[in-house]
Amino acid sequence: IGIHPHETDNNEISVDEIVKNFNENPKIIGIGETGLDFYYNNSDKEKQIKSFKKHIEASIKTNSPLIIHSRNAEDETFEILNQYHDKKLKILMHCFTGSKNFAEKLLDLNAFFSASGIITFKNSFDLQETFKFIPLDKILVETDSPFLAPVPNRGKKNEPSFIDFTAIKLAEIKGINKTEIDKITTANFNNLFFN
């Protein structure tokens, strides 16, 4: 449950409302997608920050993972998360496209990183290098459906079955086989969401 940073101008939710919804619906297993998007600026910066902090507080109260969107806001995202470093947040960087430096700082906060179809794009060399650097026990895969279909389906509407292409590329980047990447990312998901 959460409010995407693009929607914070028109939607406001309290920490208590997030917690109440989380507690009343056993199908909800995380808080978000929340965070900061200073690329599109579809919502006011300060409203995004205020909403992000509410979601962080709800994540702490529910002891649940915080699914974070961060675009053109690496410094601000880290600065805010670092204010809660003693709270042992369960962080998932959704559809991670950040820098290696950002990833390194987030690893100090025990963050997990989700790879999307973007890692299969021919011009994503820097991102591939970043995922090569991120430890295996901190990586997940996702579709971000209906967006960001991986090669060879780039440009099509993404769907869950396409996650295999992302997993194959991630296995190649990490120098292991796809069966191993499947087992590792599944274990990481269970570790983050159910421990």
Side-chain angles (χ1 to χ4, degrees):
I1 181 169
I3 296 174
H4 191 283
H6 288 180
E7 306 300 327
T8 57
D9 274 358
N10 302 316
N11 297 286
E12 195 168 324
I13 192 166
S14 71
V15 174
D16 290 340
E17 287 174 301
I18 298 170
V19 171
K20 181 178 184 288
N21 278 283
F22 181 89
N23 289 333
E24 289 179 353
N25 189 335
K27 290 185 177 183
I28 298 173
I29 61 171
I31 305 295
E33 171 179 352
T34 183
L36 305 174
D37 192 314
F38 299 156
Y39 179 81
Y40 287 110
N41 283 315
N42 288 343
S43 290
D44 175 75
K45 236 182 199 184
E46 290 307 313
K47 286 185 179 177
Q48 289 186 51
I49 291 168
K50 184 178 173 187
S51 179
F52 186 27
K53 288 181 177 180
K54 286 180 184 179
H55 287 81
I56 293 170
E57 293 292 333
S59 172
I60 292 166
K61 285 188 173 190
T62 59
N63 190 34
S64 60
L66 184 68
I67 296 93
I68 300 172
H69 172 110
S70 180
R71 187 156 187 204
N72 280 43
E74 289 188 2
D75 292 340
E76 296 89 344
T77 300
F78 178 74
E79 194 175 294
I80 290 167
L81 290 172
N82 199 38
Q83 293 170 14
Y84 300 89
H85 71 273
D86 61 331
K87 300 294 185 184
K88 307 247 187 279
L89 292 173
K90 296 179 177 183
I91 298 168
L92 174 58
M93 297 305 297
H94 152 72
C95 192
F96 188 72
T97 57
S99 68
K100 183 179 176 186
N101 182 52
F102 187 35
E104 193 167 11
K105 292 194 295 189
L106 290 167
L107 283 168
D108 288 339
L109 298 178
N110 201 30
F112 287 75
F113 302 83
S114 190
S116 71
I118 295 172
I119 66 165
T120 69
F121 298 176
K122 69 178 179 181
N123 294 328
S124 68
F125 180 75
D126 289 345
L127 183 60
Q128 292 171 14
E129 286 300 305
T130 299
F131 269 95
K132 190 181 287 185
F133 160 78
I134 296 170
L136 273 170
D137 66 346
K138 294 295 179 186
I139 294 177
L140 282 79
V141 291
E142 67 173 277
T143 60
D144 200 29
S145 179
F147 309 108
L148 305 173
V151 172
N153 297 299
R154 189 166 181 190
K156 295 180 183 175
K157 181 180 176 184
N158 202 358
E159 61 178 66
S161 69
F162 294 172
I163 201 165
D164 268 355
F165 298 106
T166 304
I168 289 165
K169 184 64 177 183
L170 186 58
E172 177 190 313
I173 290 166
K174 299 305 277 182
I176 60 176
N177 66 47
K178 184 182 170 292
T179 302
E180 284 181 272
I181 209 75
D182 289 348
K183 286 178 186 172
I184 290 166
T185 56
T186 300
N188 293 345
F189 173 84
N190 289 327
N191 182 33
L192 177 60
F193 282 88
F194 300 113
N195 278 339

